[in-house]
Amino acid sequence: MLRQEVLKLYHEIFRTIRLVPDKSNQRELRDWARHDFRTHSGQTDELAIKMMLQYGRRSLTELQTSLDLSGISKEKAKSGVAEESKRTYSEEIKS
């Protein structure tokens, strides 16, 4: 069950990162997220995993709020970036 929550959070973080307009910021955020998930991938303590999930959700919420306040997430949704996001996601999975 926790594994599913972790995977859901991972995917949601990367979906949100794709909305960041600056490519260098996107790269930095992707590297940060990958590093955090890989660093803790061997964690087996359920309480520690739940705490990390809370931290990850808070970080995701902060990023989403920043994008919302800047109007970026709404602009991207309206401009039809979904197709580009699909391509980027496919590239993300390959790397």
Side-chain angles (χ1 to χ4, degrees):
M1 173 132 164
L2 281 178
R3 185 176 193 279
Q4 289 175 336
E5 288 182 56
V6 170
L7 289 173
K8 181 180 175 184
L9 176 62
Y10 182 86
H11 289 119
E12 186 65 25
I13 287 171
F14 278 89
R15 271 187 232 111
T16 303
I17 289 172
R18 284 196 308 270
L19 298 176
V20 174
D22 184 66
K23 297 299 180 190
S24 65
N25 286 341
Q26 273 188 14
R27 169 65 65 191
E28 186 178 333
L29 288 167
R30 278 196 306 263
D31 291 346
W32 162 77
R34 279 190 190 123
H35 178 265
D36 269 12
F37 277 90
R38 284 182 181 151
T39 299
H40 301 292
S41 65
Q43 183 61 258
T44 57
D45 181 19
E46 189 172 330
L47 182 59
I49 294 169
K50 287 180 181 181
M51 289 173 51
M52 286 183 273
L53 278 169
Q54 286 179 334
Y55 168 74
R57 288 184 190 118
R58 250 190 332 269
S59 298
L60 175 60
T61 300
E62 288 176 17
L63 178 58
Q64 289 170 332
T65 301
S66 295
L67 290 170
D68 287 343
L69 289 173
S70 67
I72 291 171
S73 60
K74 292 175 186 168
E75 290 173 17
K76 286 226 174 188
K78 288 180 183 176
S79 68
V81 177
E83 201 58 42
E84 180 183 334
S85 293
K86 287 178 187 175
R87 277 184 260 127
T88 306
Y89 183 68
S90 297
E91 293 167 4
E92 177 62 36
I93 292 174
K94 292 176 186 175
S95 58

